[in-house]
Amino acid sequence: NTSVNNTGTPLTQFDLKADSVTLRNQNNEIYTVHAPSTVTNNVLTAGVTANGRDQAGAFTASSFIHFYWIWNGTTLASVSSATAPPTGPVLPTGYTFWAYDGPVYFTAGSALTSVRYRGSWCWFAASQSALAAGTATSTTAVSLTAIIPANALNYSIHWYANLRDNRNLHFQLVSGTDWAIIAAS
């Protein structure tokens, strides 16, 4: 998987790219496409339609959109969905196979966050901020749900903190995607 935001319209289109794609249907049959062409998905295209959404309504802002490869026996396409695996997307008429590509966060401004995939790992094109100008003086939970999708099996976080005084700053994992920031003097 080497998927990335589309260069021409990165806020609303996502390019699915891979060396090969192995898709599965409800009967657990598989089909592999080797060296597929890049498939572009437009999250503004109402569905259920190939290379668009799997729903008629717009996606909810501040949520993850899940991208899938789909196959109808002759054409490899994509569909974007609010539904993560294992349930998977609603498929357009004639499409019976799907494979998961990955999630991308849809911001409060209804724009795809700029990312790049390498295998099953996803990197943000720019630093993401879970907390800016924090002023808490006691343990405070900071949600990472806009950065880490609920279906992530693994993630890596690199912290950066700019402290304005001589306090020690400690981080502690509270739950799957919430961290506590503990400031101690």
Side-chain angles (χ1 to χ4, degrees):
N1 182 356
T2 57
S3 299
V4 295
N5 295 69
N6 180 273
T7 23
T9 48
L11 302 179
T12 58
Q13 295 187 26
F14 195 70
D15 292 341
L16 284 70
K17 301 178 181 185
D19 292 331
S20 67
V21 179
T22 300
L23 305 104
R24 187 175 307 268
N25 69 10
Q26 66 182 10
N27 298 324
N28 217 24
E29 299 167 325
I30 62 169
Y31 185 81
T32 301
V33 178
H34 298 282
S37 298
T38 298
V39 174
T40 301
N41 183 281
N42 186 335
V43 300
L44 300 180
T45 303
V48 176
T49 188
N51 299 320
R53 298 190 303 254
D54 73 343
Q55 62 189 40
F59 286 122
T60 303
S62 302
S63 65
F64 278 92
I65 295 176
H66 301 272
F67 291 91
Y68 295 88
W69 296 89
I70 57 176
W71 173 256
N72 67 2
T74 56
T75 303
L76 186 65
S78 69
V79 71
S80 48
S81 177
T83 306
T87 304
V90 174
L91 296 173
T93 301
Y95 287 85
T96 56
F97 287 78
W98 62 267
Y100 190 53
D101 190 72
V104 177
Y105 193 70
F106 201 48
T107 68
S110 296
L112 294 171
T113 302
S114 195
V115 300
R116 64 182 169 87
Y117 273 89
R118 295 300 176 265
S120 60
W121 284 94
C122 180
W123 283 268
F124 292 103
S127 295
Q128 302 297 300
S129 177
L131 174 68
T135 59
T137 57
S138 62
T139 302
T140 305
V142 177
S143 176
L144 302 178
T145 57
I147 298 171
I148 303 167
N151 64 326
L153 299 177
N154 199 353
Y155 55 88
S156 176
I157 298 174
H158 301 277
W159 293 97
Y160 169 77
N162 185 0
L163 304 177
R164 292 178 283 182
D165 58 25
N166 291 328
R167 293 179 182 228
N168 295 318
L169 190 61
H170 304 277
F171 298 95
Q172 174 184 351
L173 181 63
V174 176
S175 68
T177 56
D178 287 336
W179 287 78
I181 298 178
I182 304 167
S185 49

